[in-house]
Amino acid sequence: MKKSKFILASKSPRRCELLKDMGVKFDIAVSDINENQVPKDLPPQLYVQELALLKGTSIGSGCGKGHYVIAADTVVVYNGEIIGKPVDDADARRMLKMLSGNTHQVYTGFSVTDTTDGKTASGYEVTEVHFRELDDGEIESYIASRAPFDKAGGYGIQGRAGLFVDGIDGDYFNVVGLPLCALNELMKKEFNISL
Amino acid sequence: MKKSKFILASKSPRRCELLKDMGVKFDIAVSDINENQVPKDLPPQLYVQELALLKGTSIGSGCGKGHYVIAADTVVVYNGEIIGKPVDDADARRMLKMLSGNTHQVYTGFSVTDTTDGKTASGYEVTEVHFRELDDGEIESYIASRAPFDKAGGYGIQGRAGLFVDGIDGDYFNVVGLPLCALNELMKKEFNISL
C-alpha cells in the first residue's frame, strides 16, 4: 500500500479533524507505547515532548522510507500539576470543579520523524485557558454526556465545553490537541517541508 | 411548520457549525437588510452591534411568537480601521500582506430578540489575533483556493489560514464568528435561558 507523505501517530479524532480542515493528506498509525515509562513529575513541557518523541519514533521505525511521522501529546496543567483523563464520574466532577472560574494551561508536545534517515525534531506549545464559573447543573449535564472521558482535563474545547471557556491566550489549535502553526514552523526549519 | 426555540439570523456556514458543535438545535432565517445603512466610521464595537441588532430585529418581526432570534456580525480591525471582505484577488492580497506579521482585532457583535415580547439585548466580544510573517507563495496559494472571498479580513481561522495564526488573546469562537460564551451569558442574564 502506498502511504501518504505524512503519517499521524495518533488515534485522536480531534487531531485528525484539524489536519483534514487544513487540507493535509495523511495516513494514521497508532503506537502502542506504555505511557507510564515517562515520569509524571517531569516539567510539563518535557513530559509532553518525551511522549510525542516516544510515539513518533515507535511508529517511524516500521513505516518504510519516504514519510514524515507526526506525533503529539496533550496535557492540562493546573497549579503546576499535570491533570490526566478522568477515570470516572467523580474524577471528572473533581476536575471540572477545579478548573471552574480559574485559569489553567494546556501543553502539547509534538514531534516529526523523517523515516528516510530517522532524523527527529520536537517542540511544544502552551496556551492559557480561562474557564468562567460553572454551576453544578452544567457540570452534571456535561458529565452525563460522557464527553469528559477521553479528554485531558475532562473537557474538549471544540464541543459543548466551548461554552465554559471565556478566553484563551495563545494557540487555539494547541488546546484542541495539535499546534498547527508551531508544527509547521518546525517542519520548515528542520526538514524544509510544510503541511 | 413548527420552528425551533432558537432562530439563527445568519447564513454563515461557520456560525451554523459552531452552534451544531455545541449541540444546539435551531432554524435559520436570513435577513435582507442593507448593511450600508450603518456608517462604517462608527467605533467597531458599536458598528457590529448595530448590524447584529438590525439583522435580528428584521427577522424577529416575521417569526411568530415563542422564539429567540440570534444574530451576529463580525469584522476585522487593523490599525483602528474596519476591514471588510475582499472584492477581488488584489484586495485579498493587500489584506493578507497587511495582516502578515502583525496583530489585529476581531469584533463580533451579537443580539438576541425574544419574538414573544420583542425584547432585544446585544453585546460584543473582541479577540486579538496575531499572524506570523507570511511569504508570497503561501499568500498566492491561499488566494488561489478562493477561501478569502466570503470572509472578513480575507481569511478564516478554522481552515487553512489556521496555519497563519500563531496566537490569539481572547475567545477563539469569536474569531470564527460567534462568541458562544458571551452569547450564552447574555441569554442567561437577560432572558433566563441558555444555549
Side-chain angles (χ1 to χ4, degrees):
Chain A
M1 191 185 79
K2 175 95 175 66
K3 283 210 185 74
S4 302
K5 178 176 174 185
F6 296 116
I7 295 171
L8 178 65
S10 174
K11 61 175 189 290
S12 153
R14 295 170 290 282
R15 292 195 183 106
C16 293
E17 278 301 313
L18 278 185
L19 283 181
K20 275 185 204 158
D21 288 348
M22 296 296 126
V24 178
K25 294 211 188 322
F26 60 95
D27 287 302
I28 292 174
V30 181
S31 70
D32 194 26
I33 60 153
N34 173 7
E35 301 203 357
N36 293 324
Q37 64 191 295
V38 178
K40 280 232 171 175
D41 54 2
L42 280 178
Q45 66 271 32
L46 298 183
Y47 177 82
V48 290
Q49 279 188 87
E50 276 300 321
L51 273 175
L53 286 164
L54 272 173
K55 290 178 186 175
T57 51
S58 76
I59 292 296
S61 54
C63 282
K65 296 189 176 187
H67 307 291
Y68 295 91
V69 177
I70 300 166
D73 191 75
T74 301
V75 298
V76 164
V77 173
Y78 180 69
N79 259 349
E81 194 195 335
I82 293 176
I83 313 297
K85 297 173 183 175
V87 295
D88 58 19
D89 283 24
D91 202 26
R93 192 173 295 119
R94 181 187 64 82
M95 289 179 186
L96 291 166
K97 280 179 190 272
M98 191 167 70
L99 302 181
S100 168
N102 290 313
T103 297
H104 63 272
Q105 291 79 41
V106 177
Y107 284 83
T108 297
F110 53 92
S111 71
V112 179
T113 301
D114 178 343
T115 66
T116 301
D117 60 8
K119 176 177 169 173
T120 298
S122 71
Y124 77 97
E125 186 79 55
V126 57
T127 303
E128 303 264 335
V129 179
H130 187 262
F131 267 37
R132 65 175 169 75
E133 294 276 354
L134 310 180
D135 63 42
D136 288 349
E138 57 196 347
I139 289 177
E140 293 311 318
S141 141
Y142 190 59
I143 293 171
S145 78
R146 314 322 287 159
F149 292 99
D150 59 340
K151 301 185 182 80
Y155 78 95
I157 194 171
Q158 70 292 335
R160 183 86 194 163
L163 290 175
F164 301 167
V165 176
D166 56 17
I168 72 171
D169 187 359
D171 182 356
Y172 170 79
F173 302 113
N174 183 51
V175 184
V176 180
L178 198 61
L180 297 165
C181 199
L183 171 66
N184 203 39
E185 293 304 294
L186 181 84
M187 285 183 167
K188 285 194 218 171
K189 186 165 162 245
E190 300 289 341
F191 300 93
N192 206 22
I193 55 168
S194 59
L195 285 174
Chain B
M1 192 185 81
K2 175 98 172 66
K3 283 211 185 71
S4 302
K5 179 176 174 185
F6 295 115
I7 295 172
L8 178 64
S10 174
K11 64 175 187 288
S12 153
R14 298 169 288 282
R15 292 197 182 105
C16 292
E17 276 304 312
L18 278 185
L19 282 181
K20 276 186 202 157
D21 288 350
M22 295 297 126
V24 178
K25 293 209 190 324
F26 59 96
D27 287 301
I28 292 174
V30 181
S31 71
D32 193 25
I33 60 152
N34 173 8
E35 301 204 356
N36 293 325
Q37 65 191 294
V38 179
K40 279 230 171 175
D41 55 0
L42 280 179
Q45 65 273 29
L46 297 184
Y47 178 82
V48 290
Q49 280 188 85
E50 276 300 321
L51 272 175
L53 286 165
L54 271 174
K55 291 178 186 175
T57 50
S58 76
I59 292 296
S61 54
C63 283
K65 296 190 176 187
H67 308 291
Y68 296 91
V69 177
I70 300 167
D73 190 75
T74 301
V75 297
V76 164
V77 173
Y78 179 69
N79 259 350
E81 195 195 334
I82 293 176
I83 314 297
K85 298 173 184 176
V87 295
D88 58 19
D89 284 22
D91 201 28
R93 192 174 296 118
R94 182 186 65 81
M95 288 179 185
L96 292 165
K97 280 180 190 272
M98 190 168 71
L99 302 181
S100 168
N102 290 313
T103 298
H104 62 272
Q105 290 79 42
V106 177
Y107 284 82
T108 298
F110 52 92
S111 71
V112 178
T113 301
D114 179 343
T115 66
T116 302
D117 59 9
K119 175 177 171 175
T120 297
S122 72
Y124 79 98
E125 185 80 55
V126 56
T127 304
E128 302 265 335
V129 178
H130 187 260
F131 267 37
R132 64 174 171 76
E133 294 276 355
L134 308 181
D135 63 42
D136 288 349
E138 56 196 349
I139 288 177
E140 294 311 318
S141 140
Y142 189 59
I143 292 172
S145 78
R146 311 324 287 160
F149 292 99
D150 58 340
K151 300 183 183 82
Y155 77 95
I157 194 172
Q158 70 293 334
R160 183 84 194 165
L163 290 174
F164 302 166
V165 176
D166 56 15
I168 72 171
D169 187 359
D171 183 354
Y172 169 80
F173 302 113
N174 183 51
V175 184
V176 180
L178 198 61
L180 297 165
C181 200
L183 171 65
N184 203 38
E185 293 304 297
L186 181 83
M187 285 183 167
K188 284 194 220 171
K189 187 166 160 247
E190 299 290 340
F191 300 93
N192 207 22
I193 56 169
S194 59
L195 286 173

